Amino acid sequence: MWVPRDGAAAARNRRTAEDGDVKIGITCYPTYGGSGIVATELGRELADRGHEIHFISNALPMRLDVAQPHIHFHEVEAASYPLFDQAPYTLALAVKMAEVAELHRLDLLHCHYAIPHSVSAFLAKSMLAPRRLPVVTTLHGTDITLVGAERSYLPVTRFSIEQSDGVTAVSRHLKDATRDVIGVRREIEVIYNFVNCEKYRASANSGLRGRFSPGGEPILIHISNFRPVKRPVDVVEIFAKVRAEIPAALLMVGDGPERGRAERRVRDKGLEGRVHFLGKQDGIEQWLGISDLLLLPSEMESFGLVALEAMACEVPVVASRVGGVPEVVADGEDGHLAEAGDIDGMAGAALRILKSPGVRAEMGRRGREKARTRFGAAAAVTAYEAHYRRVLG
Ligand code: GMT
């Protein structure tokens, strides 16, 4: 809806999340990655609550079902011209955001990942002035710790965050990093990522499990975008040490630049047949549901959404003690943490869990309980609604 800036008309027209449905434009990276998953799940939950959700992105987000009521999708196509080396996506996105905001009377834009989404949103909002179009930015991690920290991007990252009407971060660690690394001084609300515990749960799919574990041996799993920051080669090294002591299988779910190196390491270690590269998968809950342990030895992780998804499936987590991971996984309770690169430490932790079915089950039970009570979807979605309400004034 159109909300004038000032005056009595503004007060009459001003809409808040409390008054009923809000029309929200959500922009995210549509491909494999935690930020897109969080944006998509949030959009679906908000739509369930009756809000009108317009996804604006260069492709349909991976887990989005446009058949769901109150969900709409608008594709951004960056026009190319022989003069352009690369099509200007940031501008195309800004134009589409402004167009959708006008046509569908959006109340606000919610950008997941600062670069370039919040910059495009700033342009869209400026183009539509004096009509008010607040922008909320949710910071996910690498937009601050890697991309944003890059000297050439730092000023524009800081600018787009400072110019947003509301800013949230997915962990306390990320909130602090935004202050320390980017130099942002404005208020940032921490709203933790969440998981749908109905969808993510342990599964007794004996057919699927039997394919990888014919003798009932434990199944370890790693799920990521196989970027260097995820250290998938470490996963293979850790698994090799586990396999040296007990029979086990490893599922490698996802794809990305480090997959080739990880596959070569599997061959060097003679682990073919024990390690299964499954590529990008929809419905990762089915893979987590049959697994016994998640390995997440990342260099950095502002939250580690997949750790939370594993916990919801009663799968203990062995991960690096980095970034926001300790805010999700409690060492010794629902998993174990070690320093990034400590392959011996992580292999030892994995063996301690896998050699004792009682410990494994108890850690899994605690993980699910924590996922349900501290990281449930309902509380997070309510927190986002309250955030929107404040931004809408
Ligand atoms: O991990 C990435 O390569 C990118 C990024 C994304 O867009 O998925 O992940 C970040 O956002 C996730 C969702 O909030 C977090 O769970 C991840 O920890 C975070 N990745 C890093 O901080 C490396």
Side-chain angles (χ1 to χ4, degrees):
M1 100 183 239
W2 190 87
V3 184
R5 270 169 198 262
D6 305 299
R12 269 198 312 278
N13 286 340
R14 190 171 290 137
R15 182 206 288 265
T16 73
E18 227 164 22
D19 300 331
D21 67 294
V22 181
K23 294 187 169 69
I24 304 161
I26 293 185
T27 292
C28 61
Y29 283 109
T31 46
Y32 209 62
S35 59
I37 293 167
V38 171
T40 307
E41 295 292 336
L42 175 63
R44 285 157 41 130
E45 297 278 346
L46 288 165
D48 266 351
R49 294 186 181 195
H51 304 295
E52 288 299 326
I53 308 300
H54 293 259
F55 280 87
I56 308 169
S57 187
N58 62 317
L60 191 68
M62 243 183 63
R63 298 188 189 174
L64 188 66
D65 174 11
V66 274
Q68 184 185 340
H70 309 299
I71 294 275
H72 315 267
F73 172 62
H74 308 270
E75 186 170 330
V76 182
E77 265 187 82
S80 79
Y81 183 70
L83 204 60
F84 300 157
D85 230 6
Q86 281 153 355
Y89 179 68
T90 306
L91 298 184
L93 176 59
V95 170
K96 184 59 92 178
M97 282 170 159
E99 182 188 302
V100 174
E102 273 221 306
L103 261 173
H104 297 275
R105 302 250 165 253
L106 297 189
D107 296 307
L108 62 91
L109 295 173
H110 187 169
C111 299
H112 290 261
Y113 213 89
I115 297 292
H117 304 151
S118 305
V119 179
S120 302
F122 170 77
L123 288 175
K125 162 178 151 169
S126 309
M127 281 190 279
L128 293 183
R131 173 215 199 282
R132 189 165 179 260
L133 183 65
V135 173
V136 172
T137 295
T138 290
L139 306 172
H140 281 274
T142 41
D143 44 356
I144 296 303
T145 55
L146 289 183
V147 183
E150 179 80 24
R151 284 200 77 76
S152 53
Y153 283 125
L154 199 145
V156 76
T157 305
R158 183 166 49 215
F159 176 80
S160 69
I161 296 170
E162 298 281 12
Q163 292 300 320
S164 296
D165 299 271
V167 181
T168 74
V170 299
S171 63
R172 279 200 311 273
H173 168 269
L174 186 57
K175 174 180 169 164
D176 294 346
T178 309
R179 186 192 55 219
D180 300 343
V181 179
I182 309 288
V184 167
R185 291 280 167 265
R186 59 158 302 145
E187 196 192 321
I188 296 176
E189 182 181 358
V190 174
I191 302 182
Y192 283 118
N193 287 335
F194 55 92
V195 64
N196 178 339
C197 288
E198 290 306 310
K199 186 165 148 195
Y200 286 84
R201 45 172 61 246
S203 136
N205 187 340
S206 50
L208 189 61
R209 211 189 137 87
R211 255 173 64 197
F212 303 100
S213 158
E217 54 271 40
I219 298 179
L220 292 85
I221 187 167
H222 171 74
I223 304 177
S224 79
N225 52 20
F226 286 63
R227 301 208 174 273
V229 72
K230 304 290 178 180
R231 299 181 74 118
V233 177
D234 281 13
V235 174
V236 177
E237 296 283 355
I238 295 164
F239 178 71
K241 287 184 183 288
V242 169
R243 267 283 307 170
E245 291 204 27
I246 57 171
L250 172 64
L251 307 182
M252 297 286 269
V253 181
D255 214 327
E258 289 286 286
R259 176 171 167 175
R261 277 189 67 216
E263 284 184 304
R264 278 195 295 280
R265 194 60 57 93
V266 166
R267 215 179 37 232
D268 296 347
K269 299 265 175 196
L271 290 169
E272 303 99 318
R274 301 289 166 200
V275 182
H276 308 271
F277 285 85
L278 303 173
K280 291 181 183 175
Q281 294 280 330
D282 276 342
I284 60 156
E285 62 277 9
Q286 65 170 333
W287 300 108
L288 282 171
I290 59 155
S291 298
D292 298 294
L293 187 90
L294 174 84
L295 292 176
L296 188 66
S298 310
E299 186 75 40
M300 175 46 72
E301 216 50 84
S302 70
F303 183 91
L305 182 64
V306 72
L308 178 59
E309 291 171 335
M311 285 157 66
C313 295
E314 296 178 44
V315 176
V317 177
V318 170
S320 318
R321 189 181 290 107
V322 290
V325 174
E327 295 172 55
V328 184
V329 180
D331 191 15
E333 280 183 32
D334 32 43
H336 279 299
L337 302 179
E339 300 317 304
D342 181 2
I343 288 162
D344 286 336
M346 291 193 208
L351 281 164
R352 277 199 300 283
I353 296 171
L354 295 174
K355 280 181 174 174
S356 167
V359 168
R360 202 206 74 74
E362 182 54 23
M363 282 190 161
R365 195 195 58 72
R366 287 199 212 116
R368 179 158 175 90
E369 184 60 13
K370 191 201 270 182
R372 226 175 39 75
T373 53
R374 286 205 232 155
F375 295 101
V381 177
T382 300
Y384 277 112
E385 282 180 311
H387 192 91
Y388 297 153
R389 202 152 53 225
R390 280 196 295 281
V391 163
L392 288 169

